[in-house]
Amino acid sequence: MTVLQPAVGGLSRRGFLKGAATGLVAMSILPSGLVVGEAFAQMPKATKPETFASLVQMSRDCYPHDQIPDKHYATAVEIIDEAARGSPDQLDLLETGMAALNKAAAAAHGVPYAQVKAEADRVALLKAIEPDPFFQKVRGNLVVGLYNQKDLWPVFGYEGSSFDKGGYLERGFDDIDWLV
């Protein structure tokens, strides 16, 4: 599992989580099934609302970026959810996988996965299921679902396609002044 932990403005991930508890604690599932978080509101199309909310927390734990609001993680999960709508097998994989993760979390911590307070404890639960097809499916889809959001590219310093701008060679590709 790839875990990136950049510090932004001197604020570490741990410090952020201490101040904000966890992203999911601030999430609510309304009676209509609408999942509402600090910066997003999504209506799952295939998965149960609690599964969707747990997948948002799982995506943040797999690819933690303090500077990225939950709405971008929810957008990445929405792509997985939409794909599951057209595939009963994929939907079953998500629902049974999350049920198993919740069961493991309940056995270890007495609460479902998304309610485990400590990030390190949630990450340990994910590492335990890393070879599982459920984890691999979610993690693999998150790579594209999260990092292919154009409005996030500037956050990571990616300028987008270079072909229409003449390529990389004349646009800083060979700037190695950091090596000197």
Side-chain angles (χ1 to χ4, degrees):
M1 173 169 61
T2 304
V3 178
L4 304 172
Q5 295 191 3
V8 176
L11 182 64
S12 71
R13 179 163 184 77
R14 305 247 178 308
F16 172 80
L17 290 175
K18 282 180 186 174
T22 63
L24 195 62
V25 170
M27 283 185 217
S28 300
I29 302 171
L30 301 178
S32 65
L34 182 68
V35 180
V36 180
E38 287 183 34
F40 74 95
Q42 309 291 110
M43 180 65 84
K45 300 205 175 29
T47 58
K48 297 174 187 168
E50 55 274 7
T51 300
F52 188 94
S54 295
L55 286 169
V56 172
Q57 182 62 56
M58 183 179 172
S59 65
R60 186 168 277 290
D61 291 336
C62 287
Y63 299 101
H65 297 288
D66 294 336
Q67 71 274 32
I68 297 177
D70 284 343
K71 71 177 184 174
H72 296 290
Y73 289 99
T75 297
V77 171
E78 190 175 36
I79 294 167
I80 298 168
D81 180 71
E82 179 66 36
R85 187 167 85 162
S87 171
D89 291 339
Q90 293 301 312
L91 178 58
D92 184 57
L93 179 71
L94 294 176
E95 292 293 350
T96 58
M98 189 53 70
L101 183 57
N102 283 333
K103 185 176 178 181
H109 304 285
V111 294
Y113 169 78
Q115 294 175 15
V116 174
K117 293 201 184 276
E119 174 189 8
D121 292 338
R122 290 190 312 271
V123 170
L125 289 165
L126 294 178
K127 285 184 182 247
I129 65 163
E130 198 168 3
D132 190 90
F134 160 70
F135 178 84
Q136 293 300 319
K137 173 71 174 170
V138 173
R139 184 193 58 81
N141 281 302
L142 287 173
V143 169
V144 176
L146 184 62
Y147 297 114
N148 201 31
Q149 296 180 43
K150 289 185 180 185
D151 51 337
L152 286 179
W153 291 352
V155 173
F156 300 117
Y158 178 60
E159 298 174 354
S161 172
S162 69
F163 177 76
D164 56 337
K165 298 174 184 99
Y168 287 114
L169 288 180
E170 303 300 326
R171 295 184 53 242
F173 176 76
D174 59 348
D175 290 348
I176 57 169
D177 53 355
W178 56 270
L179 187 62
V180 178

